[in-house]
Amino acid sequence: MSTDSSTSVTNPRERYARWVLPLCWAAVALEGFDLVVLGVVLPSLLRFPAWGLTPNTASVISVVGLLGVMAGALAAGPVTDLIGRRRAMLITVVWFSVLTLLCAAAPNPWVFGALRFLAGLGLGGVLPVALALVNEYAKVGRGGGAITTMMTGYHVGAVLTALLGIAVIPNLGWRPMFVIGALPALVLIPVMLRFLPESTWYLRARAGDGPVGEDGAPASRNPVTVLFRGGYLRATLAFWVTSFMGLLLVYGLNTWLPEIMRSAGYQLGAALALLLVLNVGAVLGMLIAGRVADRIGVRPATITWFVAAMVFLALLSVKLPGAGVYLSVLLAGIFVFSAQVLVYAYIAQRYPTWARGTALGSASGVGRLGAITGPLVGGALLTAGIAYPWGFYIFAAVAAAGAIAVTVVSRPAQPAEAHREAVDGPGRV
């Protein structure tokens, strides 16, 4: 942690820097729970006689929720850069927890869908805020590892959701799942109020020591403008394309991998086990990717991860015997999921601190279009009867497009603000 007296006066909570990573990890884990819970309760909802849901109406509810997440991500970036990251984090966690709790009391599918959209606004805001805070408080040269470690929280939350669904739904029904998803906020919010520090850069700007641009002049007070000027336009568009491709892969594979493998002749039990192996690979990949990025640089690591994802996705088109298919899926999971997380780490390094939340939010928001497209592509391929092997060829091509888009991002000159952050940046975790 920096011992500079002006820094400690500007940000008295900076002594709590070590709390940033675990608190953001917990918030992302809750986000993972809430984003996956619909898939866990969906079989029960489809058989809930009072609502009479069909697969089509259930799909509409799912898409509406994702649209809410996209809108929340796009709005959260500028908001957090203007009102502060600590306040934005508290607002988003309270928001989606309250709306998730209300889902448990939804009287019909239309109200339920509206509540899922509103909850998505908060869910979409969590990730950009958490990424910006964790990157700011990471140790110098270890931002990639900090971000990928934080993102394991998403998959832990997703796994816990599935396990709770197995234990809770057969005995109590689907409504208690949303109550369970909201309750952790009763603990997390007070702890955040006590220990979560604000962004030092935000506090300096509010105190009149505002951020500067690459030319040393005062930076724009509107963080959105940095995305499209000062040499950032090409990077912004490239990151949007990459995030679209990365989230298309994540959501497409998580949604349809079991069904694609069944169409290839694997039994249902084996197909579901492969989905579990895929997500185990995701956690392992995030832990490995962050360390690699810190050692060789986040840009080459991101390109390498997308290229490796392309290779192992293409190899899934080959039907392997015994443990071979599990190893192949594990390797695909290691590279597919963490490739997108490395994109977030790269964005956090590429943009100035005062606009970092906006940049992360815009990429996450545009990427949600890929999250919607992925399941649609998989469903269309299955309907056409060509999901195996062509589904894996298409997913491999998507990974290749992501790698190409990353290479388009230009390497910036050392900006004035980045130099200043390296010299007297905030406390480190």
Side-chain angles (χ1 to χ4, degrees):
M1 179 181 295
S2 173
T3 57
D4 183 273
S5 60
S6 63
T7 298
S8 62
V9 171
T10 301
N11 189 1
R13 289 181 174 272
E14 201 174 40
R15 66 184 185 276
Y16 297 132
R18 69 185 62 182
W19 284 85
V20 171
L21 181 56
L23 288 176
C24 289
W25 184 95
V28 171
L30 289 184
E31 181 198 17
F33 184 102
D34 274 281
L35 288 175
V36 174
V37 70
L38 180 61
V40 172
V41 304
L42 200 55
S44 296
L45 288 177
L46 289 171
R47 292 163 179 80
F48 189 51
W51 286 11
L53 279 181
T54 67
N56 285 335
T57 53
S59 296
V60 171
I61 292 174
S62 177
V63 170
V64 164
L66 287 173
L67 289 174
V69 173
M70 180 179 70
L74 290 171
V79 168
T80 186
D81 286 330
L82 292 173
I83 72 171
R85 291 163 189 171
R86 179 176 183 271
R87 186 182 303 173
M89 177 63 80
L90 289 165
I91 290 173
T92 55
V93 173
V94 170
W95 180 274
F96 78 71
S97 296
V98 170
L99 270 298
T100 296
L101 181 63
L102 292 176
C103 285
N108 56 61
W110 315 115
V111 173
F112 183 78
L115 291 172
R116 288 297 296 171
F117 174 82
L118 293 173
L121 297 176
L123 290 167
V126 169
L127 190 58
V129 181
L131 288 167
L133 268 175
V134 167
N135 187 80
E136 178 174 347
Y137 279 94
K139 292 180 180 179
V140 175
R142 297 188 181 178
I147 286 177
T148 53
T149 298
M150 183 196 74
M151 287 301 296
T152 62
Y154 178 91
H155 291 277
V156 170
V159 170
L160 288 178
T161 308
L163 295 175
L164 284 169
I166 293 171
V168 172
I169 294 175
N171 299 313
L172 301 175
W174 62 270
R175 294 186 187 272
M177 289 294 294
F178 292 94
V179 178
I180 294 171
L183 288 179
L186 295 176
V187 176
L188 183 59
I189 292 299
V191 176
M192 282 185 168
L193 284 169
R194 177 69 177 85
F195 294 109
L196 186 66
E198 180 55 274
S199 163
T200 298
W201 288 101
Y202 170 77
L203 293 175
R204 284 176 174 173
R206 192 175 66 174
D209 185 15
V212 295
E214 292 191 11
D215 58 358
S220 169
R221 294 183 64 84
N222 181 2
V224 177
T225 61
V226 76
L227 301 181
F228 308 106
R229 69 178 194 183
Y232 289 107
L233 175 60
R234 192 169 85 177
T236 296
L237 296 178
F239 282 131
W240 285 359
V241 171
T242 307
S243 293
F244 179 93
M245 300 301 174
L247 288 178
L248 188 157
L249 292 175
V250 169
Y251 280 79
L253 286 170
N254 257 337
T255 302
W256 291 118
L257 180 67
E259 197 62 30
I260 293 175
M261 300 311 282
R262 287 194 71 190
S263 70
Y266 294 93
Q267 296 299 315
L268 176 60
L272 292 175
L274 288 172
L275 182 61
L276 177 61
V277 170
L278 184 76
N279 281 279
V280 170
V283 176
L284 292 175
M286 289 179 192
L287 295 174
I288 296 169
R291 276 62 184 176
V292 173
D294 290 339
R295 181 174 294 273
I296 69 173
V298 68
R299 186 177 190 272
T302 306
I303 296 171
T304 300
W305 246 245
F306 270 105
V307 170
M310 174 192 69
V311 171
F312 288 111
L313 284 169
L315 286 177
L316 288 179
S317 65
V318 180
K319 192 171 182 179
L320 299 173
V325 66
Y326 290 94
L327 178 61
S328 184
V329 169
L330 179 71
L331 290 170
I334 286 174
F335 291 102
V336 168
F337 290 85
S338 48
Q340 177 58 29
V341 178
L342 286 175
V343 172
Y344 293 140
Y346 192 10
I347 294 170
Q349 289 188 11
R350 181 64 177 79
Y351 290 85
T353 305
W354 55 273
R356 190 168 291 153
T358 299
L360 288 164
S362 71
S364 177
V366 172
R368 297 297 169 177
L369 293 174
I372 295 170
T373 303
L376 294 177
V377 169
L381 292 171
L382 282 164
T383 301
I386 58 173
Y388 187 89
W390 284 100
F392 292 123
Y393 295 148
I394 291 174
F395 286 141
V398 169
I404 293 170
V406 175
T407 65
V408 172
V409 179
S410 59
R411 294 182 177 89
Q414 179 80 345
E417 188 206 8
H419 173 71
R420 179 180 173 189
E421 183 175 16
V423 173
D424 62 351
R428 314 291 184 211
V429 294

